[in-house]
Amino acid sequence: MPYHARVVDESQAMNIVGPTVRMLRRKNGWSQQTLSNKLELLPVYICRGSISRLEEQLRTVTDYEAAGLAKVLGVTIAELFTPEEK
C-alpha cells in the first residue's frame, strides 16, 4: 500500500507531547526559558518561544528534540508520549 502524506490542518495539533512537556516543566518549577537553557547544555537548541509553541502543540518536535526533552525532564521518551492521568 503506498504511503500518503497527511496534510496538516492548522486546527490540528502538530505534536502530542506538548501538554506533557508543560506539565513536567511546571512540576519542576521551571520557566520556559529555564527549560530552553537546560536543553542548550546538551546541546539541543529550542528557544523559549519555540517551547511555548511546542507546549501549545503549534510546532512539531524532532526525534532529537524529544530525546533531549526526555533527558532534561528526567523521563523516558515513551513517557513524553503518554499523557499523565488526571
Side-chain angles (χ1 to χ4, degrees), residues 18-35:
T20 303
V21 169
R22 175 185 288 130
M23 181 271 302
L24 291 168
R25 177 182 61 77
R26 288 179 175 172
K27 188 182 271 189
N28 283 306
W30 299 342
S31 67
Q32 291 172 340
Q33 186 62 56
T34 298
L35 177 56

Side-chain angles (χ1 to χ4, degrees), residues 58-71:
L58 299 174
R59 176 191 186 278
T60 59
V61 181
T62 68
D63 55 353
Y64 190 73
E65 291 170 339
L69 286 162
K71 184 172 184 171

